[in-house]
Amino acid sequence: MPFPDDHDPVGHALSVLRAGGLVGMPTETVYGLAADAANDLAVHKIFRAKGRPADHPLIVHIGSAEQMSVWANNISPAAVRLADTCWPGPLTLLVPKAEKVSPVVTGGRDTVGLRVPAHPIALDLLRRFGGGLAAPSANKFGHVSPTTAGHVLADLGAAVDFVLDGGPCPIGVESTIVDCTVSPAQILRPGGIPNEAIAELLEGLGGIDRRIDDLGPSRASGMLSSHYAPRCRVEIVETAANADQRAEFLRALGQHVDVIDPSGDLTLAAQQLYAWLRNADEREIDTVVAVLPPPQGLGHAIRDRLRKAAGKG
């Protein structure tokens, strides 16, 4: 029952989680598919519901920065600074996992991604739950992430036991992931906190490794080269003029084509990006031609998602 009429939907979600079920949880970035991170059987349900490879690690959501020491060991000064300044917020820290953290959650790795989300409903749920919630995006693996409760239901249906409706996600793209197990720290996935802000925060602590290519095997969520993809084809171009030319060519071939140009208001573009891609599928668009925004601010995250939607990540 996704939307019960009772007066305490968070309380209902807690009951589902404590019974080993799955809950669609709103965050400021995208909706997550949450399960008790300490319950391996519940976490296995996430992988089955999403069709997610078992070796692809999950992010554990916690209720406060003070809980990080429960889930992590040997926490670096960089991780402490980022947690103190950015949590609650759209930032995931990759840190050495504590012994208690199940390899089911980490994909067999010795690291764990931790985040304190900023959405008030998510924080209320986490603080009342008291533990950690493993919560990747609440959609089929590799597909477009959900930014409304309706998206969760459309993607997962009966595979999710309950959906907390927190309205549209205000940021709209996933969290920034920073690997704090290496020095200098490394941005593994650009997201809701711009790369420039991370670099500024880590001045004096080694800064950040600015390499974005050749990161090796997937160490965290969203690092595969093809991800966040709609059913339609996505092509990326550098300028609006290129997009218009390409769209005209494809239409002459009889294709239904959309053009996405997110290079104006990056905040609005991030909020709407996944809705645009979903809408293209609903309208049976053949090809979306997308203009890459400038690599600054939220443009880093939008570029990353568009490149991966096009299979060029």
Side-chain angles (χ1 to χ4, degrees):
M1 184 169 64
F3 303 110
D5 293 328
D6 76 33
H7 66 283
D8 185 16
V10 172
H12 184 83
L14 287 169
S15 298
V16 171
L17 291 166
R18 289 169 178 157
L22 301 182
V23 169
M25 177 179 74
T27 79
E28 74 278 25
T29 57
V30 300
Y31 275 72
L33 183 61
D36 181 355
N39 182 336
D40 282 355
L41 292 177
V43 174
H44 277 299
K45 292 180 182 178
I46 293 177
F47 289 95
R48 289 197 297 272
K50 286 178 60 68
R52 185 183 180 98
D55 63 350
H56 202 61
L58 304 177
I59 293 170
V60 175
H61 294 64
I62 53 179
S64 69
E66 289 73 25
Q67 293 180 15
M68 182 161 56
S69 61
V70 176
W71 296 87
N73 286 323
N74 302 316
I75 302 168
S76 69
V80 171
R81 179 175 293 180
L82 291 174
D84 286 346
T85 53
C86 298
W87 283 353
L91 175 69
T92 295
L93 301 178
L94 194 69
V95 290
K97 78 177 189 71
E99 185 176 351
K100 68 166 282 182
V101 183
S102 169
V104 176
V105 171
T106 67
R109 291 162 177 77
D110 59 3
T111 56
V112 62
L114 299 176
R115 173 162 116 82
V116 181
H119 197 288
I121 293 177
L123 277 177
D124 185 25
L125 177 67
L126 284 159
R127 289 169 180 172
R128 290 168 65 178
F129 183 68
L133 294 177
S137 57
N139 57 286
K140 291 296 185 181
F141 182 71
H143 294 187
V144 180
S145 298
T147 55
T148 69
H151 293 163
V152 178
L153 291 172
D155 285 0
L156 299 179
V160 58
D161 299 301
F162 179 66
V163 180
L164 277 168
D165 189 351
C169 299
I171 292 179
V173 292
E174 292 81 358
S175 60
T176 304
I177 300 179
V178 179
D179 186 349
C180 293
T181 69
V182 295
S183 184
Q186 189 173 37
I187 294 176
L188 301 184
R189 179 180 73 184
I193 296 181
N195 296 8
E196 298 89 343
I198 300 296
E200 184 176 350
L201 286 169
L202 293 183
E203 285 183 5
L205 291 177
I208 60 169
D209 184 342
R210 294 181 177 274
R211 291 177 300 169
I212 59 172
D213 299 315
D214 193 25
L215 295 179
S218 180
R219 309 203 299 269
S221 296
M223 289 185 66
L224 300 179
S225 60
S226 178
H227 216 67
Y228 316 111
R231 293 189 300 275
C232 62
R233 176 179 171 82
V234 177
E235 293 189 11
I236 52 177
V237 296
E238 291 291 341
T239 69
N242 294 152
D244 291 340
Q245 292 170 2
R246 182 61 178 166
E248 183 178 355
F249 174 79
L250 293 172
R251 287 174 182 137
L253 297 178
Q255 289 197 27
H256 298 287
V257 181
D258 250 3
V259 173
I260 293 177
D261 185 355
S263 55
D265 184 334
L266 294 179
T267 299
L268 180 62
Q271 289 172 347
Q272 297 296 320
L273 177 62
Y274 291 143
W276 288 336
L277 294 176
R278 286 174 176 271
N279 181 258
D281 278 342
E282 290 168 4
R283 291 184 294 116
E284 299 184 340
I285 294 295
D286 298 307
T287 303
V288 169
V289 181
V291 181
L292 292 176
Q296 59 191 39
L298 283 171
H300 293 292
I302 297 169
R303 289 172 67 92
D304 173 78
R305 303 314 188 270
L306 287 174
R307 289 182 63 83
K308 287 175 178 171
K312 298 182 180 297

